Amino acid sequence: MGTKAPRDPAKITWSSTGLTTHVPPSRSLSVDGTDIAVVVIYFIIVMVIGIWSSVRANRTTVGGYFLAGRSMTWWPIGASLMSSNVGSGLFIGLAGTGAAGGIAVGGFEWNAAWVLVALGWIFIPVYISAGVVTMPEYLGLRFGGHRIRIYMSVLSLVLYIFTKISTDMFSGALFIQVSLGWNLYLSTAILLLVTAAYTVAGGLAAVIYTDALQTLIMVGGALSLMFIAFIKVGWYEGLVDHYMSSIPTVTVENTTCHIPRPDAFHMFRDPVSGDLPWPGLIFGLTVLATWVWCTDQVIVQRSLSAKSLSHAKGGSVLGGYLKLLPMFFIVMPGMVSRALFPDEVGCVDPELCQRICGASVGCSNIAYPKLVVELMPVGLRGLMLAVILAALMSSLTSIFNSSSTIFTLDLYHKARPRASEMELMIVGRIFILVLMCISLLWIPIIQTANSGQLFEYIQSVTSFLAPPITAVFIMAIFWPRANEQGAFWGLMAGLVVGLVRMILEFSYTAPSCGQPDHRPSVLTDVHYLYFALILLALTCLVIVAVSLLSAPIPKEHLHRLTWWYRYDLEPRIDLTTPEMAPDPANSISSETEQFQQPTWKRVAMWLCGLSSQTSQSAPPNSESNDLNFLHEKPFWRKVCNFNAVLLLAFNVFLWGYFA
């Protein structure tokens, strides 16, 4: 699935290195003044909300900046869970995969409801009773030693840069370029500056409140396009008829690639020959979803900022409901796009595809942008642009904030244990700016790579590297006997096997229509979702074997670190040496010193939320504090439980209805 997404071969020029930024003027590229006004108003509102939440948030302590002072209620958490997961890459990738293969890819979204409930009911209580801010920190407390924590921190940052940041930015900037004809680098730079501004200034609180607004705009705009598209095609029955007959005029002889899949409107597909086999979609995907929703810093950090466990659970349920929607407003519009424009979106002839969208493997990924440009009336097109920008900015800010949390607390603080709170705050903010520069430099590399496979690229990289992490977290939480040696060698074994498969995957490219398949059978016969299951099982076996062959961790080190011990009140002896308290000598300066600072310095400090004399070190989280958090009011516990059951029942009904 490519993400190079132009509308018409004549409108955008392609060079040997990919998309060139010279776009010939044309009628449909001229975006009306109304559209520009809509986008400008959107930007202003986002900045206002970002600044407002920055000013009222407590940005002066580690807990305030990285966890929003644990003051968040359920609705911004739920909205933020949705929008930090749905980036611009998802709009382009999901719609493109839907256009090429039908509704089964919507299972990637529906699967999230189950794992989100597991996050609120199983994982968050353990993380909170452990009193952690980052996921590598949890593994450090649970197993002791430094190697697992450092390995996890570095791997998380690498995965963010290579899968999330770069693909989202590329597809978002491309969308702007296709619809507005702006320069790719200029548009990305502007986007990055706006998002980095309020992420640097306001921390997690600013990110979550702006996310809530982005979710509103994203859902509203995408639903409006969905209704326009469905009216155009004759609702669901019309979509089934039109899609199944959407055959391009130019086809490849003696092949069937141009014919839509006979099982396009079925979620459950053949376990051996299906493009998304049903056991893989249910079980293999759950392995990847558990990594994304229950052990990934970007998502977990949102739930950790809740003011109580009931709010964390409520956020999970709202996020689960919101994740039911992309099937209807991203996947199905992608299929409508193929039904309306079979020659462009459904093209199969490699030479023609190369001319239309610069990717010889197919042009399904222009599905969503093409729909926006062809169907949206003036004004609403600006709204859709705002939707894509909202998707891009919300996922980027979330990743920026979480990456800086991991870098500051897991890597920098380890290297400089006596760093003051002020120093940690400044390092966290500088790291966001460094990430911004890396992201900009990374764009040309993705551009010249074969971006015909973008959504596949994200999914496959995840399925090769994430299952060992899922295995370690599940073992850490549910099996107290697991120890540091077992976890470390399990991670290493999983990494080696995953890397071998990943190198093979990128060494052999998937054949275009009508070409013979020369890939080894381990690639063609073992679907990546099955591979995720195999890798999970292998990692678990290594963890169990090595743990049983080495000494267990004594119970006094495990209080409040596993599911079974989460309510323990005994004091815990941490396996890792506790981080030293910030050095009072280099802690935040006194009031008198602050008045001696030059004006520019005081303004800069205020912008970063570091000025007030109340900026003392955050009080250490006491065990009783965290255990109070776990005690819910009976009424709200029942409300959360009822809503979770309702969500899962509705989810099962949808799976069954479309199965």
Side-chain angles (χ1 to χ4, degrees), residues 10-156:
K11 308 254 170 76
I12 288 190
T13 48
W14 297 91
S15 69
S16 57
T17 56
L19 184 55
T20 65
T21 41
H22 164 67
V23 182
S26 74
R27 179 196 58 76
S28 57
L29 269 179
S30 65
V31 174
D32 199 271
T34 324
D35 293 328
I36 301 283
V38 170
V39 175
V40 170
I41 291 168
Y42 157 74
F43 263 114
I44 292 170
I45 294 174
V46 168
M47 285 307 285
V48 167
I49 289 191
I51 292 165
W52 166 79
S53 46
S54 303
V55 171
R56 69 183 284 276
N58 167 16
R59 308 174 282 162
T60 56
T61 62
V62 170
Y65 185 73
F66 292 125
L67 283 185
R70 288 217 167 140
S71 61
M72 285 293 159
T73 48
W74 62 275
W75 63 269
I77 292 175
S80 184
L81 286 173
M82 161 82 172
S83 61
S84 44
N85 179 256
V86 178
S88 49
L90 203 72
F91 267 91
I92 287 179
L94 267 184
T97 314
I103 64 173
V105 73
F108 279 75
E109 300 300 292
W110 286 357
N111 189 289
W114 293 85
V115 199
L116 271 166
V117 169
L119 170 71
W121 271 257
I122 296 172
F123 287 82
I124 287 297
V126 175
Y127 297 149
I128 281 176
S129 63
V132 295
V133 178
T134 70
M135 297 299 93
E137 181 187 1
Y138 170 74
L139 291 182
L141 284 176
R142 169 66 178 81
F143 293 117
H146 295 305
R147 54 188 186 175
I148 293 182
R149 185 170 176 176
I150 289 171
Y151 168 75
M152 275 290 302
S153 308
V154 173
L155 184 66
S156 301

Side-chain angles (χ1 to χ4, degrees), residues 296-603:
D296 184 19
Q297 184 67 27
V298 174
I299 298 296
V300 175
Q301 197 169 342
R302 267 128 207 75
S303 297
L304 286 179
S305 70
K307 61 160 70 165
S308 75
L309 185 57
S310 299
H311 280 287
K313 288 180 175 179
S316 284
V317 172
L318 176 62
Y321 276 119
L322 288 170
K323 288 294 282 180
L324 298 177
L325 297 175
M327 167 69 106
F328 304 104
F329 67 53
I330 302 181
V331 179
M332 287 182 182
M335 298 171 73
V336 170
S337 186
R338 169 164 178 162
L340 295 177
F341 317 110
D343 287 341
E344 293 97 331
V345 178
C347 96
V348 287
D349 179 51
E351 287 172 17
L352 182 69
C353 293
Q354 187 71 37
R355 281 214 302 281
I356 293 176
C357 67
S360 59
V361 286
C363 288
S364 60
N365 267 51
I366 67 173
Y368 206 81
K370 182 141 185 84
L371 211 56
V372 171
V373 171
E374 299 283 349
L375 297 191
M376 281 303 230
V378 167
L380 277 181
R381 201 180 303 164
L383 175 73
M384 277 320 290
L385 240 124
V387 167
I388 295 295
L389 296 182
L392 173 70
M393 287 167 65
S394 59
S395 53
L396 276 187
T397 50
S398 306
I399 293 161
F400 281 168
N401 183 270
S402 300
S403 305
S404 91
T405 309
I406 287 184
F407 177 79
T408 309
L409 301 183
D410 287 321
L411 296 174
Y412 187 82
H413 203 188
K414 275 268 166 278
R416 273 185 57 83
R418 294 191 69 80
S420 67
E421 186 113 15
M422 165 79 96
E423 188 179 328
L424 293 180
M425 298 286 81
I426 292 172
V427 166
R429 289 161 161 97
I430 289 172
F431 186 71
I432 292 176
L433 299 176
V434 172
L435 266 185
M436 212 181 94
C437 300
I438 293 176
S439 313
L440 264 179
L441 294 173
W442 190 241
I443 292 181
I445 299 172
I446 309 178
Q447 228 182 330
T448 49
N450 175 19
S451 61
Q453 296 289 341
L454 196 87
F455 191 64
E456 292 280 294
Y457 158 82
I458 302 172
Q459 294 304 335
S460 53
V461 167
T462 308
S463 64
F464 307 145
L465 298 180
I469 301 174
T470 305
V472 166
F473 272 94
I474 289 174
M475 288 297 204
I477 286 172
F478 291 111
W479 194 46
R481 181 69 180 75
N483 61 17
E484 198 268 350
Q485 291 88 339
F488 180 74
W489 291 112
L491 278 173
M492 289 302 111
L495 177 71
V496 169
V497 176
L499 279 178
V500 168
R501 164 86 193 226
M502 190 165 119
I503 292 164
L504 280 174
E505 191 82 32
F506 290 125
S507 312
Y508 296 91
T509 48
S512 295
C513 189
Q515 293 176 342
D517 195 343
H518 295 304
R519 296 176 299 171
S521 60
V522 68
L523 294 185
T524 50
D525 299 343
V526 183
H527 193 276
Y528 67 82
L529 291 173
Y530 287 153
F531 181 77
L533 271 177
I534 296 167
L535 194 53
L536 178 88
L538 175 83
T539 310
C540 286
L541 280 175
V542 174
I543 294 174
V544 170
V546 177
S547 293
L548 290 175
L549 291 173
S550 46
I553 296 174
K555 191 181 171 192
E556 64 262 23
H557 298 304
L558 294 178
H559 297 309
R560 294 179 302 287
L561 288 179
T562 69
W563 173 252
W564 318 109
Y565 303 153
R566 68 190 185 285
Y567 290 121
D568 287 3
L569 289 169
E570 296 92 84
R572 177 178 71 226
I573 304 163
D574 285 339
L575 286 162
T576 49
T577 46
E579 253 102 49
M580 296 182 197
D583 189 353
N586 62 10
S587 204
I588 291 181
S589 51
S590 66
E591 236 175 307
T592 48
E593 270 178 55
Q594 286 198 345
F595 282 117
Q596 293 160 5
Q597 290 175 344
T599 314
W600 66 267
K601 194 166 180 182
R602 286 209 301 276
V603 170

Side-chain angles (χ1 to χ4, degrees), residues 594-616:
Q594 286 198 345
F595 282 117
Q596 293 160 5
Q597 290 175 344
T599 314
W600 66 267
K601 194 166 180 182
R602 286 209 301 276
V603 170
M605 298 299 256
W606 179 81
L607 280 174
C608 285
L610 291 168
S611 58
S612 70
Q613 64 270 33
T614 52
S615 329
Q616 73 292 353

